Amino acid sequence: MFSFTSMGGKIDSSINKGKAPYIFRLSGQNYHSIGSLLPTNGSKPKFSQLYIYDTENEVSNRQSIFCDSINRSASTTDVLDRHIIQELKEMLDSENELVKSYRMARDCFQQNPHINLKLRLIGKRTKDGRTYNLPTASKVAALIVGDIDDSIDNRDIIVKTQQGNVERISELHPSYLALQYPLLFPYGDDGYRVDIPHKDITPASKSKRPNCTMREFFAFRIQDRPNEFSLIQNSRRLPQQFLVDAYTMIESERLYYIRNQQNNLRSESYENLCSAKNQGSSDISKIRKRVILTSSFTRGSRYMMQNYLDAMSLCKWIMAKSSVKLMQLFTQWSFRNAACLTLIYVYLWMVITRFLLLSMLTHSSLLKYRTKKKIPTCIVL
């Protein structure tokens, strides 16, 4: 309801039927998009536009848009408590620095409705990421009147006055999570940053991995600690969406790293490029660029093949030992029919388990099973 950005992908709510626990399912590519400061002519305000446009009826607008987004009828609007929405709005107005920046833009439009205004969400921070510092409006956002100068960083988010399309924001922006989850980050504080150093790391330290990874950051944030209140752990259903979003961010960062490390993987020596060059193609730059996924990437083809080979090696080692032991037991305890029958059952169970591993760990079998059952590519928590 109070999000600045929209969430990509398709949220499947059909699974939440009956009395089972709530499940958040998301299919497709996940990303965050942000719109302009003001809606286009004839359109209703959405997301961040609600902080600027028609703020006199802001509570009613948020209530109606929230009900429309979850496909509820108009009669269920009374279920939402307007008093709670008003209190949350006042809390964000007084504490959240991102909200304060949008309110400043609102005041500028009220003074001059025809002003060409842009809001710059700054992506570079100067303070140490290990120290918790309350953000200030001047360090988080800036209002720009007129044209944009050359001091804009490549990670800065520029929100224009009116534009027909939405802009996708980077997962590496410090305010990426605060824009989507203002109730989990009530002060507009920073999320993950690429320059957060590890503990006891100084500028003179010579470490191969001096900075914190995205997975380490989320593992630290979702940890439940004694004598410390965790807002993420006590937000009922919202943490499920937050964790799914965090997982997709980690996957995106891994894919981005693999795409930029193709030279170190010697991807130019793979079969397609070599065969194209051997066939007489002098210009192989026209061939579509291929990104090689290493076996360390979860659910990749090489990851599946490595797990399959490991499973077959374990099955071979276990089956060889069990076969010898079974023959010895048959020769020594042949008079014990019950024990022999039990061992036969165990042996058959191990054979069946081996073939189950073979079928489940093969990548092609997984694709056929997913296609047959029409299972979407989704993350379920």
Side-chain angles (χ1 to χ4, degrees):
M1 180 181 291
F2 292 94
S3 298
F4 293 83
T5 57
S6 59
M7 197 172 184
K10 183 179 179 181
I11 300 176
D12 185 9
S13 302
S14 61
I15 193 174
N16 296 308
K17 294 181 179 179
K19 298 181 179 180
Y22 175 78
I23 296 175
F24 181 83
R25 173 183 285 180
L26 180 70
S27 59
Q29 184 182 11
N30 183 32
Y31 54 90
H32 293 179
S33 301
I34 192 168
S36 57
L37 295 176
L38 296 177
T40 56
N41 296 330
S43 301
K44 293 182 179 180
K46 297 180 180 179
F47 299 102
S48 61
Q49 298 170 354
L50 293 170
Y51 290 97
I52 298 177
Y53 185 82
D54 192 17
T55 55
E56 296 179 355
N57 303 314
E58 183 176 348
V59 176
S60 301
N61 293 336
R62 294 187 182 278
Q63 190 176 15
S64 60
I65 290 177
F66 179 78
C67 293
D68 294 339
S69 64
I70 58 179
N71 296 325
R72 291 182 178 177
S73 61
S75 60
T76 58
T77 308
D78 297 333
V79 177
L80 299 176
D81 193 338
R82 295 175 56 90
H83 182 66
I84 295 178
I85 300 176
Q86 180 66 29
E87 287 186 349
L88 291 175
K89 170 183 169 297
E90 294 175 357
M91 182 268 293
L92 293 176
D93 287 343
S94 60
E95 302 294 341
N96 195 296
E97 298 299 331
L98 293 171
V99 175
K100 292 180 181 179
S101 301
Y102 272 82
R103 299 303 189 193
M104 291 169 57
R106 177 201 59 186
D107 298 338
C108 292
F109 283 119
Q110 289 179 352
Q111 295 176 3
N112 186 3
H114 304 288
I115 189 174
N116 182 17
L117 189 65
K118 299 179 181 65
L119 180 64
R120 174 192 174 190
L121 301 177
I122 304 173
K124 189 176 181 180
R125 302 290 188 265
T126 57
K127 295 184 178 180
D128 193 345
R130 294 172 294 185
T131 305
Y132 180 76
N133 300 302
L134 287 177
T136 56
S138 60
K139 301 295 183 181
V140 172
L143 293 177
I144 302 175
V145 180
D147 296 331
I148 302 174
D149 55 10
D150 298 332
S151 62
I152 303 299
D153 189 73
N154 57 352
R155 287 202 191 98
D156 290 349
I157 302 173
I158 305 299
V159 187
K160 300 180 181 179
T161 301
Q162 276 188 338
Q163 57 184 7
N165 55 351
V166 295
E167 179 184 357
R168 180 173 176 175
I169 62 178
S170 173
E171 293 89 350
L172 301 179
H173 194 279
S175 300
Y176 182 83
L177 294 172
L179 290 170
Q180 179 65 27
Y181 306 100
L183 297 182
L184 296 181
F185 299 85
Y187 297 102
D189 42 330
D190 294 340
Y192 173 73
R193 289 163 44 185
V194 295
D195 56 350
I196 301 177
H198 281 124
K199 184 180 179 181
D200 300 330
I201 293 294
T202 60
S205 302
K206 296 181 180 180
S207 177
K208 294 183 178 180
R209 293 181 55 193
N211 295 331
C212 176
T213 63
M214 189 177 291
R215 186 190 63 82
E216 294 171 342
F217 171 80
F218 283 112
F220 175 81
R221 289 302 299 262
I222 66 177
Q223 189 65 250
D224 190 13
R225 299 177 178 83
N227 301 326
E228 184 176 342
F229 179 77
S230 175
L231 185 59
I232 298 177
Q233 295 286 348
N234 295 274
S235 300
R236 302 189 67 178
R237 295 180 179 180
L238 189 57
Q240 295 195 26
Q241 178 179 339
F242 175 79
L243 292 176
V244 171
D245 210 353
Y247 181 83
T248 57
M249 289 175 61
I250 296 172
E251 289 288 277
S252 299
E253 186 197 32
R254 288 177 176 174
L255 290 172
Y256 180 79
Y257 175 81
I258 292 174
R259 185 169 64 245
N260 292 335
Q261 296 294 324
Q262 292 297 296
N263 294 331
N264 298 332
L265 298 175
R266 297 182 179 180
S267 58
E268 71 278 356
S269 62
Y270 280 83
E271 183 177 358
N272 283 352
L273 293 181
C274 292
S275 60
K277 188 174 182 180
N278 294 332
Q279 290 175 2
S281 299
S282 58
D283 186 11
I284 61 176
S285 62
K286 296 181 180 180
I287 302 175
R288 183 176 296 178
K289 186 176 180 180
R290 185 184 181 188
V291 177
I292 306 299
L293 294 180
T294 61
S295 59
S296 61
F297 181 74
T298 308
R299 299 191 316 274
S301 58
R302 290 176 177 81
Y303 170 84
M304 303 296 291
M305 182 57 66
Q306 181 178 345
N307 284 352
Y308 162 72
L309 295 176
D310 292 343
M312 290 299 101
S313 300
L314 290 174
C315 289
K316 182 179 179 181
W317 178 73
I318 294 174
M319 294 293 288
K321 294 184 66 176
S322 60
S323 299
V324 174
K325 193 171 184 179
L326 184 61
M327 294 302 296
Q328 292 177 355
L329 291 175
F330 267 122
T331 56
Q332 296 177 5
W333 299 343
S334 58
F335 58 91
R336 299 183 180 179
N337 295 330
C340 291
L341 186 61
T342 303
L343 290 173
I344 291 174
Y345 284 145
V346 173
Y347 185 81
L348 291 176
W349 176 80
M350 296 181 66
V351 172
I352 294 173
T353 304
R354 178 180 179 179
F355 284 105
L356 287 176
L357 286 172
L358 177 63
S359 61
M360 292 301 294
L361 291 174
T362 305
H363 186 55
S364 59
S365 299
L366 283 175
L367 291 178
K368 292 179 181 178
Y369 179 80
R370 179 175 294 172
T371 305
K372 182 178 179 182
K373 299 296 183 179
K374 297 181 180 180
I375 300 176
T377 305
C378 62
I379 302 168
V380 180
L381 290 179

Short mmCIF file of all heavy atoms in Angstrom, two decimals, residues 189-227:
data_model
loop_
_atom_site.label_atom_id
_atom_site.label_comp_id
_atom_site.label_asym_id
_atom_site.label_seq_id
_atom_site.Cartn_x
_atom_site.Cartn_y
_atom_site.Cartn_z
N ASP A 189 16.17 3.89 5.68
CA ASP A 189 17.58 3.55 5.79
C ASP A 189 18.00 2.64 4.64
O ASP A 189 17.20 2.01 3.98
CB ASP A 189 17.87 2.88 7.14
CG ASP A 189 16.80 1.88 7.53
OD1 ASP A 189 15.66 2.07 7.14
OD2 ASP A 189 17.13 0.91 8.24
N ASP A 190 19.30 2.56 4.45
CA ASP A 190 19.87 1.85 3.32
C ASP A 190 19.74 0.34 3.49
O ASP A 190 19.75 -0.18 4.61
CB ASP A 190 21.35 2.20 3.15
CG ASP A 190 21.54 3.65 2.75
OD1 ASP A 190 20.56 4.25 2.26
OD2 ASP A 190 22.65 4.18 2.94
N GLY A 191 19.65 -0.33 2.34
CA GLY A 191 19.70 -1.78 2.30
C GLY A 191 21.11 -2.24 1.97
O GLY A 191 22.08 -1.79 2.57
N TYR A 192 21.22 -3.10 1.00
CA TYR A 192 22.54 -3.62 0.63
C TYR A 192 23.31 -2.60 -0.19
O TYR A 192 22.75 -1.91 -1.05
CB TYR A 192 22.39 -4.92 -0.17
CG TYR A 192 23.69 -5.43 -0.73
CD1 TYR A 192 24.65 -6.02 0.12
CD2 TYR A 192 23.99 -5.31 -2.08
CE1 TYR A 192 25.85 -6.48 -0.38
CE2 TYR A 192 25.20 -5.77 -2.58
CZ TYR A 192 26.12 -6.35 -1.74
OH TYR A 192 27.32 -6.80 -2.24
N ARG A 193 24.60 -2.52 0.09
CA ARG A 193 25.53 -1.70 -0.67
C ARG A 193 26.73 -2.54 -1.05
O ARG A 193 27.12 -3.47 -0.33
CB ARG A 193 26.00 -0.50 0.16
CG ARG A 193 24.94 0.55 0.39
CD ARG A 193 25.30 1.47 1.54
NE ARG A 193 26.68 1.90 1.51
CZ ARG A 193 27.27 2.64 2.46
NH1 ARG A 193 26.55 3.04 3.49
NH2 ARG A 193 28.51 2.99 2.38
N VAL A 194 27.32 -2.24 -2.19
CA VAL A 194 28.44 -3.04 -2.67
C VAL A 194 29.73 -2.74 -1.92
O VAL A 194 30.71 -3.48 -2.04
CB VAL A 194 28.66 -2.81 -4.18
CG1 VAL A 194 27.47 -3.32 -4.97
CG2 VAL A 194 28.90 -1.33 -4.47
N ASP A 195 29.75 -1.67 -1.14
CA ASP A 195 30.99 -1.25 -0.48
C ASP A 195 30.92 -1.43 1.04
O ASP A 195 31.58 -0.70 1.78
CB ASP A 195 31.31 0.20 -0.81
CG ASP A 195 30.16 1.14 -0.44
OD1 ASP A 195 29.06 0.64 -0.12
OD2 ASP A 195 30.36 2.37 -0.48
N ILE A 196 30.16 -2.42 1.51
CA ILE A 196 30.12 -2.70 2.95
C ILE A 196 31.28 -3.64 3.28
O ILE A 196 31.27 -4.80 2.87
CB ILE A 196 28.78 -3.34 3.35
CG1 ILE A 196 27.61 -2.43 3.00
CG2 ILE A 196 28.77 -3.65 4.84
CD1 ILE A 196 26.26 -3.02 3.32
N PRO A 197 32.29 -3.18 4.04
CA PRO A 197 33.42 -4.07 4.33
C PRO A 197 33.09 -5.06 5.43
O PRO A 197 32.15 -4.87 6.22
CB PRO A 197 34.52 -3.09 4.77
CG PRO A 197 33.77 -1.91 5.32
CD PRO A 197 32.48 -1.82 4.56
N HIS A 198 33.85 -6.13 5.46
CA HIS A 198 33.70 -7.11 6.52
C HIS A 198 34.23 -6.55 7.84
O HIS A 198 34.86 -5.49 7.90
CB HIS A 198 34.47 -8.39 6.17
CG HIS A 198 33.75 -9.28 5.21
ND1 HIS A 198 34.31 -9.69 4.02
CD2 HIS A 198 32.51 -9.82 5.25
CE1 HIS A 198 33.45 -10.45 3.37
NE2 HIS A 198 32.35 -10.55 4.09
N LYS A 199 33.96 -7.29 8.90
CA LYS A 199 34.43 -6.89 10.21
C LYS A 199 35.96 -6.93 10.27
O LYS A 199 36.59 -7.81 9.69
CB LYS A 199 33.84 -7.82 11.29
CG LYS A 199 34.18 -7.45 12.70
CD LYS A 199 33.56 -8.43 13.69
CE LYS A 199 33.92 -8.08 15.12
NZ LYS A 199 33.34 -9.05 16.08
N ASP A 200 36.53 -5.97 10.96
CA ASP A 200 37.99 -5.85 11.15
C ASP A 200 38.74 -5.62 9.84
O ASP A 200 39.94 -5.91 9.74
CB ASP A 200 38.55 -7.10 11.85
CG ASP A 200 37.95 -7.32 13.22
OD1 ASP A 200 37.56 -6.32 13.86
OD2 ASP A 200 37.82 -8.49 13.64
N ILE A 201 38.05 -5.13 8.83
CA ILE A 201 38.70 -4.79 7.56
C ILE A 201 39.02 -3.30 7.55
O ILE A 201 38.16 -2.46 7.78
CB ILE A 201 37.82 -5.17 6.36
CG1 ILE A 201 37.68 -6.69 6.27
CG2 ILE A 201 38.38 -4.62 5.07
CD1 ILE A 201 38.96 -7.41 5.94
N THR A 202 40.27 -2.98 7.30
CA THR A 202 40.73 -1.60 7.23
C THR A 202 41.26 -1.31 5.83
O THR A 202 41.48 -2.25 5.05
CB THR A 202 41.84 -1.34 8.27
OG1 THR A 202 42.95 -2.22 7.99
CG2 THR A 202 41.33 -1.62 9.68
N PRO A 203 41.46 -0.05 5.48
CA PRO A 203 42.01 0.24 4.15
C PRO A 203 43.37 -0.39 3.90
O PRO A 203 43.74 -0.62 2.75
CB PRO A 203 42.10 1.78 4.15
CG PRO A 203 41.05 2.23 5.09
CD PRO A 203 41.00 1.17 6.17
N ALA A 204 44.12 -0.70 4.98
CA ALA A 204 45.43 -1.33 4.81
C ALA A 204 45.35 -2.84 4.72
O ALA A 204 46.37 -3.51 4.48
CB ALA A 204 46.35 -0.93 5.97
N SER A 205 44.19 -3.41 4.90
CA SER A 205 44.06 -4.87 4.87
C SER A 205 44.17 -5.38 3.44
O SER A 205 43.71 -4.75 2.48
CB SER A 205 42.71 -5.30 5.46
OG SER A 205 42.58 -4.83 6.79
N LYS A 206 44.79 -6.55 3.31
CA LYS A 206 44.96 -7.20 2.01
C LYS A 206 44.15 -8.48 2.01
O LYS A 206 44.66 -9.58 2.23
CB LYS A 206 46.43 -7.48 1.74
CG LYS A 206 47.29 -6.24 1.63
CD LYS A 206 48.74 -6.58 1.33
CE LYS A 206 49.59 -5.31 1.23
NZ LYS A 206 51.02 -5.64 0.93
N SER A 207 42.87 -8.34 1.77
CA SER A 207 41.97 -9.48 1.75
C SER A 207 41.41 -9.66 0.35
O SER A 207 41.13 -8.68 -0.35
CB SER A 207 40.82 -9.27 2.75
OG SER A 207 39.90 -10.33 2.70
N LYS A 208 41.25 -10.92 -0.06
CA LYS A 208 40.69 -11.20 -1.38
C LYS A 208 39.20 -10.84 -1.44
O LYS A 208 38.69 -10.52 -2.50
CB LYS A 208 40.89 -12.67 -1.73
CG LYS A 208 42.35 -13.06 -1.91
CD LYS A 208 42.47 -14.52 -2.32
CE LYS A 208 43.93 -14.91 -2.54
NZ LYS A 208 44.09 -16.33 -2.93
N ARG A 209 38.53 -10.94 -0.32
CA ARG A 209 37.10 -10.60 -0.26
C ARG A 209 36.88 -9.61 0.87
O ARG A 209 36.39 -9.96 1.95
CB ARG A 209 36.27 -11.86 -0.03
CG ARG A 209 36.28 -12.84 -1.20
CD ARG A 209 35.42 -14.04 -0.89
NE ARG A 209 34.07 -13.64 -0.53
CZ ARG A 209 33.19 -14.44 0.04
NH1 ARG A 209 33.52 -15.69 0.33
NH2 ARG A 209 31.99 -14.01 0.31
N PRO A 210 37.20 -8.35 0.65
CA PRO A 210 37.07 -7.38 1.75
C PRO A 210 35.64 -6.94 2.02
O PRO A 210 35.33 -6.51 3.12
CB PRO A 210 37.92 -6.20 1.27
CG PRO A 210 37.87 -6.29 -0.21
CD PRO A 210 37.79 -7.75 -0.55
N ASN A 211 34.77 -7.05 1.02
CA ASN A 211 33.41 -6.52 1.15
C ASN A 211 32.40 -7.63 1.38
O ASN A 211 32.63 -8.79 1.02
CB ASN A 211 33.03 -5.71 -0.10
CG ASN A 211 33.87 -4.47 -0.26
OD1 ASN A 211 34.34 -3.90 0.72
ND2 ASN A 211 34.07 -4.04 -1.50
N CYS A 212 31.29 -7.25 1.95
CA CYS A 212 30.21 -8.17 2.27
C CYS A 212 29.41 -8.49 1.01
O CYS A 212 29.12 -7.59 0.20
CB CYS A 212 29.31 -7.55 3.34
SG CYS A 212 27.86 -8.52 3.77
N THR A 213 29.06 -9.74 0.82
CA THR A 213 28.24 -10.13 -0.32
C THR A 213 26.76 -9.91 0.02
O THR A 213 26.39 -9.71 1.18
CB THR A 213 28.48 -11.59 -0.69
OG1 THR A 213 28.08 -12.44 0.39
CG2 THR A 213 29.95 -11.83 -1.00
N MET A 214 25.93 -10.00 -1.00
CA MET A 214 24.50 -9.80 -0.80
C MET A 214 23.91 -10.92 0.05
O MET A 214 23.03 -10.67 0.90
CB MET A 214 23.80 -9.71 -2.14
CG MET A 214 22.34 -9.28 -2.06
SD MET A 214 21.56 -9.09 -3.66
CE MET A 214 22.41 -7.65 -4.29
N ARG A 215 24.35 -12.15 -0.14
CA ARG A 215 23.85 -13.26 0.66
C ARG A 215 24.22 -13.09 2.13
O ARG A 215 23.40 -13.33 3.02
CB ARG A 215 24.40 -14.58 0.13
CG ARG A 215 23.82 -15.81 0.82
CD ARG A 215 24.58 -17.05 0.42
NE ARG A 215 25.96 -16.98 0.85
CZ ARG A 215 26.37 -17.28 2.09
NH1 ARG A 215 25.50 -17.67 3.01
NH2 ARG A 215 27.65 -17.20 2.41
N GLU A 216 25.43 -12.64 2.40
CA GLU A 216 25.84 -12.40 3.79
C GLU A 216 25.04 -11.27 4.42
O GLU A 216 24.71 -11.32 5.61
CB GLU A 216 27.34 -12.09 3.82
CG GLU A 216 28.22 -13.26 3.41
CD GLU A 216 29.68 -12.85 3.25
OE1 GLU A 216 29.94 -11.64 3.13
OE2 GLU A 216 30.55 -13.74 3.24
N PHE A 217 24.72 -10.26 3.62
CA PHE A 217 23.94 -9.14 4.16
C PHE A 217 22.55 -9.59 4.58
O PHE A 217 22.09 -9.27 5.69
CB PHE A 217 23.85 -8.04 3.10
CG PHE A 217 22.88 -6.94 3.46
CD1 PHE A 217 23.24 -5.93 4.33
CD2 PHE A 217 21.61 -6.92 2.91
CE1 PHE A 217 22.35 -4.92 4.66
CE2 PHE A 217 20.71 -5.92 3.24
CZ PHE A 217 21.08 -4.91 4.11
N PHE A 218 21.86 -10.35 3.73
CA PHE A 218 20.51 -10.80 4.07
C PHE A 218 20.54 -11.84 5.19
O PHE A 218 19.61 -11.87 6.01
CB PHE A 218 19.83 -11.38 2.83
CG PHE A 218 19.33 -10.33 1.89
CD1 PHE A 218 19.90 -10.15 0.65
CD2 PHE A 218 18.28 -9.50 2.25
CE1 PHE A 218 19.45 -9.18 -0.22
CE2 PHE A 218 17.80 -8.52 1.40
CZ PHE A 218 18.39 -8.37 0.16
N ALA A 219 21.57 -12.66 5.22
CA ALA A 219 21.68 -13.62 6.33
C ALA A 219 21.83 -12.88 7.66
O ALA A 219 21.31 -13.32 8.69
CB ALA A 219 22.87 -14.55 6.10
N PHE A 220 22.51 -11.75 7.65
CA PHE A 220 22.66 -10.96 8.87
C PHE A 220 21.35 -10.26 9.25
O PHE A 220 20.99 -10.20 10.43
CB PHE A 220 23.77 -9.92 8.67
CG PHE A 220 23.95 -8.97 9.82
CD1 PHE A 220 24.67 -9.34 10.95
CD2 PHE A 220 23.38 -7.70 9.78
CE1 PHE A 220 24.82 -8.46 12.01
CE2 PHE A 220 23.53 -6.83 10.84
CZ PHE A 220 24.25 -7.20 11.96
N ARG A 221 20.61 -9.76 8.26
CA ARG A 221 19.42 -8.99 8.56
C ARG A 221 18.26 -9.86 9.05
O ARG A 221 17.46 -9.41 9.88
CB ARG A 221 18.97 -8.21 7.31
CG ARG A 221 19.86 -7.05 6.94
CD ARG A 221 19.99 -6.04 8.07
NE ARG A 221 18.72 -5.44 8.44
CZ ARG A 221 18.29 -4.27 8.02
NH1 ARG A 221 19.04 -3.55 7.20
NH2 ARG A 221 17.13 -3.79 8.42
N ILE A 222 18.14 -11.07 8.54
CA ILE A 222 16.99 -11.90 8.93
C ILE A 222 17.28 -12.75 10.15
O ILE A 222 16.41 -13.50 10.60
CB ILE A 222 16.57 -12.82 7.76
CG1 ILE A 222 17.66 -13.84 7.44
CG2 ILE A 222 16.20 -12.01 6.53
CD1 ILE A 222 17.28 -14.83 6.36
N GLN A 223 18.47 -12.64 10.72
CA GLN A 223 18.81 -13.42 11.90
C GLN A 223 18.05 -12.91 13.12
O GLN A 223 17.96 -11.71 13.34
CB GLN A 223 20.32 -13.36 12.16
CG GLN A 223 20.83 -14.30 13.23
CD GLN A 223 20.65 -15.75 12.85
OE1 GLN A 223 19.83 -16.43 13.44
NE2 GLN A 223 21.40 -16.22 11.88
N ASP A 224 17.51 -13.85 13.89
CA ASP A 224 16.79 -13.50 15.12
C ASP A 224 17.78 -13.52 16.29
O ASP A 224 18.39 -14.56 16.57
CB ASP A 224 15.65 -14.48 15.36
CG ASP A 224 14.72 -14.02 16.47
OD1 ASP A 224 14.83 -12.84 16.86
OD2 ASP A 224 13.91 -14.83 16.95
N ARG A 225 17.93 -12.40 16.98
CA ARG A 225 18.91 -12.28 18.06
C ARG A 225 18.22 -12.00 19.38
O ARG A 225 17.19 -11.31 19.42
CB ARG A 225 19.90 -11.15 17.74
CG ARG A 225 20.69 -11.36 16.47
CD ARG A 225 21.59 -10.17 16.17
NE ARG A 225 22.37 -10.41 14.97
CZ ARG A 225 21.92 -10.19 13.73
NH1 ARG A 225 20.71 -9.71 13.55
NH2 ARG A 225 22.69 -10.45 12.69
N PRO A 226 18.75 -12.53 20.46
CA PRO A 226 18.13 -12.26 21.78
C PRO A 226 18.31 -10.80 22.18
O PRO A 226 19.30 -10.14 21.83
CB PRO A 226 18.89 -13.20 22.72
CG PRO A 226 20.20 -13.48 22.03
CD PRO A 226 19.91 -13.44 20.56
N ASN A 227 17.31 -10.31 22.90
CA ASN A 227 17.32 -8.93 23.42
C ASN A 227 17.40 -7.89 22.31
O ASN A 227 17.91 -6.79 22.50
CB ASN A 227 18.49 -8.72 24.40
CG ASN A 227 18.43 -9.67 25.58
OD1 ASN A 227 17.35 -10.03 26.06
ND2 ASN A 227 19.59 -10.11 26.03
#
